[in-house]
Amino acid sequence: MQYRVGPWTLLEQRGVLLSGDIERELDPLLIKLITFFLQRPQQIVTREQLIEHVWQQGYVDNNAINRAISELRKKLKHPDDPAIFIKTHYRQGYSLVREVATLDNAASTAAPQTAAPELLAHTQVNTHKGKQPITPTRSKPSYAWWKYMAAVVFIAVLASAAYTLNGSEFFASSQTTAVIAEQKPMSRHKVTWKVGSEYVPLINDSGRLLAYSNEKDASGKEGAFVLDVITRDEVAITYKDAEVAALSWQHNSDTLVIRARNATDSSCQYLAIDFNNFPELGEPEPLMECDHRFDYSGQLSNDGRYFYFIRGELYSHYIGLFRYDVYSGTTSQLIAPMADKVGPGSLSLSPDGKHIAYLQLDLDFQVEVYVYSLDTGEIKRMNSPPASFYRNSALDWYNSETLLYGDEKGRLLFIDIHSAEIAEAYALPDDIKMSDISYYDNSVYYSPLSGITYQVVALESFTEAAQYQQLYASDSSEYGLVAHSTGHYFISLRSGRPQVWHARDGQVKQISFLDHPDHALLDNLRVSPSGENIVLTEQKKPFLLDVESAKATAISELAHIPIMDWAWHESGQSLYVLSKSSSPRTLYQFDFITRELNKVRETDALQLVTGANGEVFLFKDKTLVSLTDNAQYSVPCELSMSSHVPIHVRDGYAYSMDYTYNVYRWALTGERCEQVQLPFEILSAVPDADGRIIITRKMSEDSSINRLMWE
């Protein structure tokens, strides 16, 4: 028997699909599977029917059925006919949604004509297992969100400072045969409307309850909400006096995992809440305690026994993936930190609970997609192009075998985890920039890539947190501040693109006029002891800026060194340069007069710290080591992610912060750590000559969760 479906003709006896000059072979199982569907067009076929009539066995693992359906869909995909062939119906089965014609043998070789898709009407809301590829067909609205992309605070901060508007050119690679779909007519609308930055949409597998977080709601705190997408009923999640963030839904469950963080007492907990009786909230059940500064991105296993989470190693910039046994209370490490990587950025547990996908960050904040097998411990890198910044990347599961990855160029990539290849790629409109995505039933739900701005404020006294005032008011971001005897130096976007500015006695002046793209990243600003020269990096390239002439000169001798940190020598004629290319790292000294680059020592230091008097310290192992006399000073404060948390020394005190709300101070010769808590998130804390602490305040722009739908 021969059949025609859409542009294909099935030659059952030969086991091939024909369409013009395209011929695709089918293995025996796929022949039986497609024939079973062709004999029942536009009828819902249950898994039990497939097991009985196709596999003809008493039991078949669900994954085997999923793989077979996925493989058949790939075989049926036609370059000239993007409409779907096989549709998933939540908790019911599958249907062939194309018209089928029966042919005799004589007519079977005729060139088939493309048939218009006749979609089966449906009202069911599908789960992740039933996600369908983007097609130009209309479908019923649905709200399937899965995914938590917690902001890695220090990375998000740096990425935000370099916020870019990327082009929308299509992805092309010799390593993949991905088909790029043409841009389709789309409609979009907001799903949420609260004040603040709303992000990380999450939906349970029933498609009914949408959870999301709000970075700064009307109360000024981080909050979390759950919305019934059908009735529009909504509840706020509260837990004591803590700030709450929604992390993830447990698969096949109405249990939501949240993080409750209290900056007042530095407490932090992961909790699970049952929403089975929504809008009533179940009693929050503690899963485990967390570090309020750097624990994030967690998900509960399908059976509820394990909690997978990412944790930053204390006093290291490395990050690891961990598993907590809820029953025994023990923690084990699944992915250890790597010397040349920052570590996993965000995790996503597959719907079948067998794999964890995560974004792997390197020291330059580039990301790649990896998949970890919970059965074998195998780690596999997916064939996906790296994005410039972690914050511009989004990850979700399309089904248990396929990932959906959104990159910074506005593309959605479907990646097969077994072959690690990009199976399909789709382009989005140029004006859509996403930080979180979830695709479901011909729709993309996303959190827009909202901007983050920075204000410079002055904390008048270390012991009086409430006494602060804004400095250098501007609507644009100001960051990278250096307090110097000649005033304050910082990077600002107030002139339309990043430039170096100088402030003194209330007067603000632009002192660099670099000719670079609007989105260029200026970073690593360091002012010489005399204030006559500044070193900085522009797109990671080192430059020397003459303050008086505003002339910028590339430092070619350092162009080959991946600079982790640098600091001026107290003479003002040379630089200490800490390289991040090896472990142990290498400390160099570069002389501006002789243009010589000399190796000073190998070190495990995480950063260079400059005192107000020009003295330079190495920071490592909770210790500051002077490069002048090798004197050592212990750090009594519990600082997190210390390679990227800047430390400043002035008048016998060291100052630092934790990228949340806290500023720390300790005497170099003392053992006591003092702490001040601020009512906003901070990027840096720098002491100045007037006894003030100059704070860079982080502020997120308002944003709402959006839905994008193909017409």
Side-chain angles (χ1 to χ4, degrees):
M1 182 69 69
Q2 283 77 42
Y3 300 89
R4 178 177 293 167
V5 54
W8 296 107
T9 296
L10 172 67
L11 305 183
E12 186 178 4
Q13 292 183 343
R14 287 182 53 194
V16 297
L17 286 169
L18 288 178
S19 178
D21 58 355
I22 303 175
E23 180 175 318
R24 293 179 182 170
E25 294 186 3
L26 305 178
D27 63 36
L29 176 61
L30 291 187
I31 295 171
K32 294 174 64 177
L33 183 60
I34 191 174
T35 301
F36 191 72
F37 279 115
L38 290 170
Q39 293 171 349
R40 299 161 179 81
Q42 302 195 29
Q43 296 180 25
I44 296 178
V45 175
T46 67
R47 285 175 174 259
E48 290 73 19
Q49 288 176 298
L50 293 177
I51 293 172
E52 179 181 357
H53 297 285
V54 177
W55 274 265
Q56 297 179 337
Q57 298 177 14
Y59 172 79
V60 177
D61 185 76
N62 281 336
N63 290 328
I65 299 176
N66 293 341
R67 285 192 294 270
I69 295 292
S70 177
E71 183 64 25
L72 181 56
R73 283 173 171 153
K74 292 178 182 178
K75 294 290 186 181
L76 289 169
K77 183 169 290 295
H78 195 280
D80 298 325
D81 187 350
I84 64 172
F85 284 80
I86 297 176
K87 186 173 186 60
T88 301
H89 301 270
Y90 174 55
R91 293 186 178 176
Q92 296 187 65
Y94 307 92
S95 67
L96 180 68
V97 296
R98 307 295 291 270
E99 290 184 344
V100 176
T102 302
L103 307 176
D104 56 30
N105 292 338
S108 63
T109 58
Q113 302 297 315
T114 302
E118 297 293 337
L119 298 184
L120 184 66
H122 66 285
T123 58
Q124 292 79 15
V125 180
N126 296 338
T127 66
H128 282 279
K129 295 180 181 179
K131 288 182 176 180
Q132 300 292 334
I134 299 173
T135 72
T137 59
R138 291 183 180 271
S139 58
K140 196 172 179 62
S142 58
Y143 297 81
W145 284 91
W146 183 83
K147 179 191 180 285
Y148 173 72
M149 184 178 175
V152 182
V153 180
F154 81 96
I155 292 174
V157 162
L158 293 177
S160 303
Y163 173 73
T164 63
L165 294 178
N166 297 285
S168 61
E169 63 271 18
F170 290 154
F171 171 72
S173 171
S174 59
Q175 297 177 321
T176 179
T177 58
V179 177
I180 307 299
E182 294 181 358
Q183 186 167 302
K184 306 295 182 185
M186 299 175 184
S187 61
R188 70 186 88 173
H189 69 267
K190 292 183 178 181
V191 180
T192 59
W193 298 270
K194 287 186 174 58
V195 174
S197 178
E198 297 174 328
Y199 65 101
V200 191
L202 307 163
I203 203 163
N204 64 347
D205 285 352
S206 70
R208 186 68 180 262
L209 300 179
L210 174 70
Y212 63 96
S213 297
N214 188 312
E215 187 167 359
K216 290 297 174 187
D217 62 10
S219 69
K221 293 184 177 181
E222 182 177 37
F225 303 85
V226 175
L227 170 71
D228 187 315
V229 299
I230 306 299
T231 67
R232 305 301 297 176
D233 292 335
E234 186 173 69
V235 296
I237 305 173
T238 59
Y239 183 74
K240 300 180 179 178
D241 294 326
E243 293 192 334
V244 176
L247 297 191
S248 58
W249 289 102
Q250 183 184 22
H251 283 307
N252 302 314
S253 170
D254 292 331
T255 298
L256 179 70
V257 176
I258 66 168
R259 183 193 64 204
R261 182 177 66 181
N262 193 321
T264 302
D265 58 11
S266 298
S267 63
C268 181
Q269 277 189 306
Y270 290 123
L271 304 109
I273 302 178
D274 185 358
F275 283 85
N276 186 55
N277 294 320
F278 182 88
E280 295 181 9
L281 280 67
E283 186 69 23
E285 296 185 8
L287 294 174
M288 61 172 287
E289 293 186 356
C290 51
D291 188 315
H292 78 286
R293 298 159 297 182
F294 213 74
D295 274 3
Y296 62 96
S297 192
Q299 189 165 5
L300 195 61
S301 65
N302 294 3
D303 60 6
R305 174 166 183 176
Y306 297 110
F307 180 67
Y308 303 99
F309 66 99
I310 293 174
R311 167 170 291 172
E313 291 291 302
L314 204 60
Y315 298 106
S316 169
H317 60 280
Y318 302 132
I319 307 171
L321 175 63
F322 296 83
R323 178 172 63 190
Y324 176 75
D325 190 320
V326 178
Y327 298 166
S328 66
T330 58
T331 301
S332 57
Q333 189 174 62
L334 301 181
I335 300 177
M338 294 182 285
D340 60 342
K341 303 288 184 182
V342 172
S346 63
L347 67 86
S348 295
L349 182 65
S350 63
D352 62 7
K354 294 188 175 182
H355 295 89
I356 292 177
Y358 60 94
L359 299 176
Q360 177 71 55
L361 288 73
D362 66 17
L363 298 176
D364 293 323
F365 314 115
Q366 301 283 318
V367 297
E368 293 179 310
V369 181
Y370 280 76
V371 171
Y372 175 85
S373 171
L374 291 169
D375 291 336
T376 66
E378 176 189 10
I379 299 175
K380 182 185 293 187
R381 183 175 68 86
M382 300 291 102
N383 179 21
S384 58
S388 293
F389 291 99
Y390 170 81
R391 189 169 175 263
N392 297 3
S393 304
L395 185 65
D396 188 17
W397 285 93
Y398 164 66
N399 57 35
S400 294
E401 286 78 36
T402 309
L403 287 170
L404 180 61
Y405 175 60
D407 72 359
E408 65 168 357
K409 296 185 182 298
R411 301 169 301 199
L412 297 176
L413 309 179
F414 291 77
I415 307 174
D416 184 281
I417 66 170
H418 303 294
S419 67
E421 293 293 326
I422 300 172
E424 298 174 89
Y426 297 89
L428 296 177
D430 294 348
D431 63 329
I432 294 181
K433 303 297 177 182
M434 305 177 178
S435 62
D436 302 277
I437 62 169
S438 185
Y439 168 69
Y440 182 77
D441 199 15
N442 217 36
S443 295
V444 173
Y445 300 84
Y446 63 95
S447 300
L449 186 61
S450 61
I452 296 178
T453 59
Y454 304 99
Q455 285 183 349
V456 176
V457 301
L459 180 65
E460 297 300 326
S461 170
F462 187 83
T463 58
E464 298 178 8
Q467 303 299 316
Y468 61 88
Q469 62 178 351
Q470 183 179 353
L471 303 177
Y472 324 130
S474 170
D475 293 333
S476 299
S477 289
E478 298 167 344
Y479 65 98
L481 187 139
V482 174
H484 192 270
S485 60
T486 58
H488 296 153
Y489 298 82
F490 55 89
I491 299 166
S492 176
L493 281 68
R494 62 173 64 198
S495 62
R497 60 181 62 187
Q499 298 288 354
V500 182
W501 292 71
H502 174 247
R504 187 173 189 177
D505 299 329
Q507 300 297 314
V508 181
K509 178 183 177 181
Q510 182 176 338
I511 60 173
S512 79
F513 298 88
L514 301 170
D515 184 16
H516 53 223
D518 294 350
H519 62 266
L521 172 63
L522 298 187
D523 202 4
N524 300 312
L525 181 69
R526 305 289 186 270
V527 182
S528 67
S530 66
E532 296 176 352
N533 294 288
I534 293 174
V535 291
L536 70 158
T537 57
E538 180 190 35
Q539 300 296 87
K540 304 177 186 177
K541 298 177 181 178
F543 283 83
L544 176 70
L545 175 66
D546 183 281
V547 173
E548 183 176 355
S549 66
K551 181 181 179 181
T553 307
I555 311 175
S556 57
E557 294 87 350
L558 301 181
H560 68 287
I561 296 179
I563 298 172
M564 184 170 188
D565 201 359
W566 56 8
W568 283 94
H569 187 273
E570 58 186 348
S571 67
Q573 296 181 354
S574 64
L575 278 177
Y576 288 113
V577 182
L578 183 63
S579 170
K580 61 184 176 184
S581 60
S582 60
S583 182
R585 300 172 187 87
T586 303
L587 179 66
Y588 297 96
Q589 188 169 2
F590 174 68
D591 192 304
F592 281 103
I593 305 300
T594 65
R595 313 300 291 187
E596 293 180 351
L597 180 67
N598 297 310
K599 179 179 177 180
V600 177
R601 67 174 72 171
E602 291 185 342
T603 178
D604 292 326
L606 299 173
Q607 66 171 288
L608 298 173
V609 177
T610 303
N613 62 354
E615 186 176 9
V616 179
F617 304 83
L618 292 172
F619 174 66
K620 62 175 184 177
D621 300 330
K622 297 182 64 174
T623 304
L624 290 171
V625 180
S626 171
L627 288 177
T628 302
D629 56 10
N630 285 322
Q632 298 189 16
Y633 306 93
S634 62
V635 178
C637 300
E638 292 294 318
L639 305 178
S640 64
M641 299 300 294
S642 298
S643 65
H644 293 277
V645 174
I647 300 174
H648 302 275
V649 174
R650 178 178 288 274
D651 301 329
Y653 282 90
Y655 298 80
S656 191
M657 34 71 71
D658 61 5
Y659 286 131
T660 56
Y661 310 96
N662 302 300
V663 181
Y664 302 94
R665 181 179 76 171
W666 66 94
L668 289 181
T669 57
E671 299 180 355
R672 179 170 173 261
C673 179
E674 299 177 88
Q675 176 182 343
V676 167
Q677 183 182 115
L678 296 170
F680 46 75
E681 293 188 40
I682 59 180
L683 169 63
S684 65
V686 181
D688 72 357
D690 297 327
R692 301 175 300 179
I693 312 298
I694 308 303
I695 305 294
T696 305
R697 176 183 181 181
K698 173 189 172 187
M699 299 185 301
S700 298
E701 296 178 349
D702 287 351
S703 64
S704 299
I705 295 168
N706 289 267
R707 178 186 180 207
L708 181 70
M709 185 175 181
W710 270 252
E711 296 181 351

